[in-house]
Amino acid sequence: MGRKDSRSEAASSHRHRCRRGRPGGCTLAGLATLAWLVLLAGAGQANPLDAFGLGARAIGLGGAFTGLADDFSASYYNPAGLAQGDELRLELGYLYSNPQLRFNGRDANVDLVKGFQGGVILPGEVLGLHFGASIGLFILDDRITRVRSLPQRQPRFVLFDNRTQRIFVNASLAIEPIEHLFVGGGLTFLANTGGQLDITGYANLINGLDSPLQASVEVDIQSTRYPSFGLLFRPSDRWSVGLAYRDEFYLALDLGTLVRGQIMLDVNPDRPIVLIEEAFFLMRSINATLYSPRQIVLGGSYDFGWLLVAADLGLYLWSGFPPPASQLTLDLDLGTLDFAVAQPDAIVDPGFSDLLIPRVGVEVPVHQGDHLGLVGRAGYFFEASPAPEQSGSTNYADSDKHGLSMGVGLSLERVTEVFPKPILLDLSFLYIRMVERRMLKEDPADLVGDYRIDGDFFNFSLLLGVLL
Amino acid sequence: MRSPSAGLVLLSLVCLAGWTSFLSAGCGTLGEGDGGGSNLPSRGIIPFSPLSPGDHPQVDSLPLVVTHETARLDEPCAVLRDDGVWMVLEACEAERCSILGVVSQDGIAFGSPQPVLEPELDWEEGWVGAPAVVQEDHLLLLWYVGGVEHPAIGLATSEDGVQFAREPEPVLAPPSGVWVGSPSVVRLEGGYALFYTMVDERASDQPQAAVIARADSPDGRSWVFSETVLQAQEGCTDPEGNLVECWDGAGVASPGARLTTSSAGRRQFDLWYTSDGRADADIGFAGSYDGREFSRYRLNPVVGGDEPQRAACVLSFGGSSLMYYATQSDRVWGIAVARSDL
């Protein structure tokens, strides 16, 4: 019997307890969870999970997890899977990704992505329906978030710039309306950031140091959220089919600088000459700092007993990708002075393409004893690049990616009286190869010129889970 | 087996919330790395930073790195030679111009200029200058401009950089009404491409703007005019793509051409040139993939300032790009250098 089977046994046993034995306790727990989800609604951020995945088992299976979705990472892969279990499930782990991405063979020093991951799945029953509620988290351990606003000409690995430097907080709920069919949905919370620097005073053209200016900064963080939904049909322990939908979202960084005041000629300190009464300069920058495309993923799994096979096929609608560049608006009013500021380059549509991403994973039971179960995993995915040739003024560097994963899962069962149910330890390693791509510029006097990109990602994920 | 109690559930959630808060509060830092901003690709057009006094302990004359007590120096052209930089340049005194050579081990501190080529032949009319040099194995090929009334381009060769043997007649003699100057030669597979300043006044009595032309030769000796590759007031656009007046609209001159390979392995021509016809001449850039259709850098000039800068020659040396050009400092015309580390 494989590890999955033993988990199913435990889940089945607990489901009956919850439904027939102490429904009041489960309902109370469910309501408490839902209340907690509401409280969390204003504190969330976005996710780097599209890039590397979540959890350890899912990553070990190459991300082919839509048809399985039986741990906390279901909140990302397929929230419907959260209602499969009957145990309270707590999981905590660490995710580490070291991207080594290169321009012309030289490391661009793209930031590491590393942080704690984990979540809780709470089963229960409300109005006669079995449900599973969860909170899923990924929290960077070196920053809360990172926002960069870059001009469109500046080369950057566009999918690994701001996108991976975000916290993920997701609250999901799933139910089982009819036997074997699970339906779930979730919300991932994000924050839009905006702000304005306001400078007022007067500028002395003769003596710049004698230009008293007052500055104020106003920052506005607004909560936003995007939904995800999932369906999972599991008629038996052998096979399942899942469908997941994740909505599009993007975060905008809206920054403004407003300078207002007088411009003076302070030739005679007692009688300064006012050149301009109401000088005015406004610079506004709007930048799409993070974007995740609308996604529809179909997945399935089949368990042969000696081999579990899972596969996903995801449609990623990258064609809606907004320009990830500062859209600058400059407005200068110097009254009678004939002076104008040069307007920045027009922002170009990045022209990204929709993608189909196939994923496949296998899991093999290696050992199943009374107290110890061990499975091995491997997976593969191919992610074509949505970015077109960067032959013009943009430099959104990206290339096709091959992901190869492997992992192990350890289950310790009935180890102590304290933990009579399995303690789960999953470890995975994911290597992603970004194949070399040559960007050839149409303009031979382009400031950036031709260049090559390639790269490697080394990802490790560890997850410890307990069932209660 | 036990089912979880509500108390245990709440305890779990509280622990999770506390764990989240702890991490969030304690880790609000800037993080590591520079966000992928290292080793960004660059065409190498900018920035070239002119060296200033104090930038080199052995060169007191900065921004000039080569000067002459009595002659005005102009039209530098440098090649790598003997682990250093060998530069030839034009030196003019009164009505007479000659070509000097000067050597540096680090590309900045040069020795004293030494004579390389003096006017000797009749067609040179006491005037030789604007040298362009190409090194092939141990042979130095030096093209130069000779003549005053009817300037033409001659060729001299040398194996040691000291003794030059020159062709008795010009290798490129333009027809009457066409003025040529400032050659710059690029070695190609199976031949050479010569870029030079040309003013064609055959069709008009009015002064014509200088253009940059190209000629081709299989051996460096017999040249055939090919085409005009860059001319004034052509192909300048604003950020919206609209045609605008060119920065170098009065004329283009003194090309410094070189053939490079892009980071993606594509052959490309760099053309550093001078805006002509203005007292405050500056240096601009145009690029091409075939050496025939050139595109200007949109934010030209790349080197400019209060003093005129002209006749750039760019060389890769010691991990940097060095641009040698003629400029004036304290009323002395000499050769300055600007450096780019990209």
Side-chain angles (χ1 to χ4, degrees):
Chain A
M1 182 182 291
R3 176 181 175 215
K4 176 177 163 295
D5 290 334
S6 52
R7 285 177 173 177
S8 299
E9 273 189 351
S12 175
S13 170
H14 176 65
R15 182 181 302 180
H16 290 293
R17 278 291 192 92
C18 194
R19 281 175 174 171
R20 297 169 185 168
R22 301 173 58 189
C26 291
T27 302
L28 178 61
L31 292 175
T33 303
L34 291 175
W36 182 252
L37 301 186
V38 173
L39 290 175
L40 265 179
Q45 294 285 332
N47 76 85
L49 313 180
D50 289 351
F52 308 118
L54 184 66
R57 186 181 182 214
I59 292 176
L61 291 167
F65 208 56
T66 305
L68 295 170
D70 60 355
D71 62 20
F72 90 97
S73 66
S75 58
Y76 169 71
Y77 289 102
N78 186 354
L82 295 167
Q84 294 183 90
D86 287 299
E87 290 93 354
L88 173 66
R89 182 169 183 141
L90 291 172
E91 290 170 300
L92 175 64
Y94 196 77
L95 181 68
Y96 175 91
S97 177
N98 183 359
Q100 297 181 3
L101 305 181
R102 293 173 287 270
F103 289 113
N104 300 323
R106 297 195 295 175
D107 194 351
N109 284 324
V110 171
D111 288 356
L112 298 175
V113 179
K114 55 193 177 73
F116 292 92
Q117 59 178 340
V120 56
I121 303 176
L122 173 73
E125 193 169 299
V126 173
L127 303 176
L129 288 177
H130 178 65
F131 75 85
S134 82
I135 300 170
L137 302 168
F138 172 70
I139 300 176
L140 299 165
D141 68 3
D142 60 351
R143 55 165 61 97
I144 297 293
T145 185
R146 194 197 67 195
V147 173
R148 289 205 307 169
S149 182
L150 300 174
Q152 65 181 357
R153 282 188 181 276
Q154 179 165 333
R156 89 288 302 264
F157 284 95
V158 63
L159 300 189
F160 304 95
D161 190 37
N162 291 320
R163 188 172 71 131
T164 56
Q165 302 296 329
R166 291 278 178 173
I167 291 174
F168 167 86
V169 177
N170 175 279
S172 296
L173 181 67
I175 59 173
E176 186 181 4
I178 58 176
E179 196 170 15
H180 306 307
L181 179 66
F182 306 91
V183 180
L187 286 177
T188 297
F189 302 101
L190 318 164
N192 261 341
T193 309
Q196 179 154 307
L197 173 63
D198 210 338
I199 300 174
T200 56
Y202 72 84
N204 187 340
L205 288 184
I206 300 298
N207 182 6
L209 295 177
D210 184 23
S211 300
L213 297 168
Q214 293 182 326
S216 63
V217 179
E218 180 181 330
V219 176
D220 186 20
I221 300 177
Q222 298 174 329
S223 172
T224 184
R225 54 190 65 83
Y226 75 95
S228 57
F229 303 100
L231 288 172
L232 183 67
F233 180 56
R234 180 183 289 280
S236 75
D237 286 341
R238 280 206 174 276
W239 67 280
S240 64
V241 178
L243 182 67
Y245 169 85
R246 293 185 279 275
D247 202 7
E248 169 190 71
F249 71 90
Y250 83 96
L251 294 181
L253 175 65
D254 183 356
L255 295 175
T257 301
L258 175 62
V259 183
R260 292 172 297 180
Q262 295 178 332
I263 296 181
M264 311 174 72
L265 266 180
D266 195 4
V267 179
N268 181 347
D270 296 329
R271 299 184 64 185
I273 302 170
V274 178
L275 287 181
I276 303 166
E277 283 282 352
E278 288 287 338
F280 171 88
F281 174 67
L282 173 67
M283 180 183 73
R284 187 164 181 221
S285 165
I286 299 177
N287 188 50
T289 61
L290 183 146
Y291 176 80
S292 184
R294 184 169 288 123
Q295 303 166 25
I296 302 169
V297 186
L298 177 65
S301 70
Y302 190 86
D303 191 351
F304 293 95
W306 57 275
L307 176 72
L308 172 70
V309 180
D312 275 12
L313 184 63
L315 173 63
Y316 292 70
L317 301 176
W318 276 105
S319 55
F321 187 45
S326 302
Q327 302 191 56
L328 278 177
T329 304
L330 303 177
D331 190 3
L332 177 68
D333 183 359
L334 292 180
T336 56
L337 289 185
D338 185 17
F339 187 82
V341 293
Q343 289 299 316
D345 292 356
I347 298 297
V348 178
D349 183 345
F352 276 34
S353 304
D354 297 337
L355 292 183
L356 277 175
I357 301 178
R359 300 174 184 274
V360 63
V362 295
E363 185 174 82
V364 180
V366 177
H367 172 77
Q368 182 60 50
D370 289 340
H371 299 291
L372 176 68
L374 180 66
V375 296
R377 304 184 184 109
Y380 170 80
F381 68 83
F382 173 70
E383 182 178 346
S385 173
E389 292 293 329
Q390 300 298 298
S391 58
S393 59
T394 62
N395 289 289
Y396 304 136
D398 188 51
S399 183
D400 296 347
K401 292 168 279 294
H402 297 272
L404 193 61
S405 65
M406 60 181 64
V408 294
L410 192 68
S411 64
L412 301 172
E413 302 185 37
R414 295 182 293 276
V415 177
T416 70
E417 286 296 320
V418 178
F419 294 108
K421 294 183 180 177
I423 298 173
L424 309 172
L425 180 64
D426 293 293
L427 177 66
S428 66
F429 168 73
L430 169 64
Y431 169 71
I432 303 175
R433 171 63 184 163
M434 178 186 282
V435 300
E436 182 178 286
R437 186 175 187 184
R438 292 166 188 264
M439 303 296 188
L440 303 178
K441 293 294 180 181
E442 291 175 357
D443 182 0
D446 184 276
L447 181 61
V448 174
D450 296 348
Y451 56 94
R452 289 176 288 116
I453 61 168
D454 74 324
D456 305 283
F457 298 80
F458 301 93
N459 305 275
F460 300 91
S461 183
L462 175 69
L463 195 68
L464 177 66
V466 294
L467 305 180
L468 298 172
Chain B
M1 296 185 187
R2 297 174 300 169
S3 63
S5 68
L8 180 59
V9 169
L10 288 174
L11 178 63
S12 304
L13 292 172
V14 168
C15 290
L16 188 63
W19 168 67
T20 306
S21 303
F22 167 74
L23 291 173
S24 300
C27 303
T29 65
L30 295 176
E32 299 173 359
D34 60 1
S38 300
N39 297 315
L40 298 180
S42 170
R43 177 74 166 82
I45 303 171
I46 58 167
F48 275 94
S49 303
L51 267 61
S52 303
D55 284 349
H56 195 289
Q58 299 170 19
V59 185
D60 298 330
S61 58
L62 287 172
L64 302 180
V65 293
V66 184
T67 57
H68 193 278
E69 289 182 356
T70 55
R72 167 181 165 147
L73 306 183
D74 203 346
E75 301 277 1
C77 178
V79 293
L80 298 176
R81 192 156 185 265
D82 298 332
D83 298 328
V85 174
W86 185 66
M87 183 197 300
V88 287
L89 47 91
E90 172 187 294
C92 293
E93 295 180 81
E95 299 298 320
R96 179 184 173 85
C97 291
S98 61
I99 294 172
L100 306 181
V102 62
V103 176
S104 170
Q105 292 303 310
D106 65 0
I108 298 172
F110 285 88
S112 299
Q114 301 299 318
V116 169
L117 213 62
E118 297 284 346
E120 291 178 3
L121 303 176
D122 290 344
W123 71 269
E124 293 170 346
E125 299 176 324
W127 198 101
V128 294
V133 64
V134 169
Q135 177 166 300
E136 289 192 353
D137 298 326
H138 296 292
L139 184 65
L140 289 164
L141 302 169
L142 190 149
W143 292 266
Y144 62 97
V145 175
V148 178
E149 294 296 324
H150 301 287
I153 294 175
L155 172 64
T157 58
S158 172
E159 291 189 351
D160 58 8
V162 178
Q163 300 294 325
F164 278 84
R166 67 186 86 191
E167 297 291 320
E169 298 295 332
V171 295
L172 178 67
S176 178
V178 176
W179 182 92
V180 298
S182 303
S184 180
V185 178
V186 170
R187 181 78 168 98
L188 304 174
E189 288 183 9
Y192 302 85
L194 167 66
F195 299 90
Y196 58 101
T197 308
M198 183 177 79
V199 179
D200 187 348
E201 297 182 334
R202 290 174 295 180
S204 172
D205 293 336
Q206 300 298 317
Q208 297 295 301
V211 301
I212 293 175
R214 169 176 171 161
D216 289 272
S217 170
D219 57 7
R221 288 173 169 78
S222 56
W223 293 93
V224 176
F225 169 76
S226 180
E227 59 194 296
T228 297
V229 296
L230 195 70
Q231 51 189 324
Q233 198 53 45
E234 182 183 81
C236 297
T237 59
D238 64 11
E240 305 293 335
N242 305 309
L243 286 174
V244 296
E245 183 179 355
C246 291
W247 147 80
D248 51 19
V252 293
S254 297
R258 68 171 181 165
L259 184 62
T260 60
T261 301
S262 78
S263 297
R266 184 160 52 158
R267 188 180 78 165
Q268 58 191 11
F269 289 81
D270 296 350
L271 188 69
W272 309 90
Y273 68 97
T274 305
S275 59
D276 189 49
R278 289 169 37 165
D280 57 345
D282 292 325
I283 295 166
F285 175 86
S288 172
Y289 295 125
D290 61 3
R292 301 182 186 280
E293 291 187 27
F294 279 85
S295 171
R296 286 174 172 83
Y297 174 52
R298 195 167 57 84
L299 300 178
N300 272 336
V302 295
V303 175
D306 295 335
E307 299 289 348
Q309 288 90 19
R310 50 171 280 104
C313 170
V314 175
L315 181 73
S316 296
F317 179 71
S320 300
S321 290
L322 298 176
M323 174 190 286
Y324 300 102
Y325 59 98
T327 189
Q328 191 176 23
S329 177
D330 294 333
R331 299 187 177 183
V332 173
W333 272 92
I335 306 303
V337 64
R339 182 166 56 195
S340 170
D341 293 325
L342 289 180

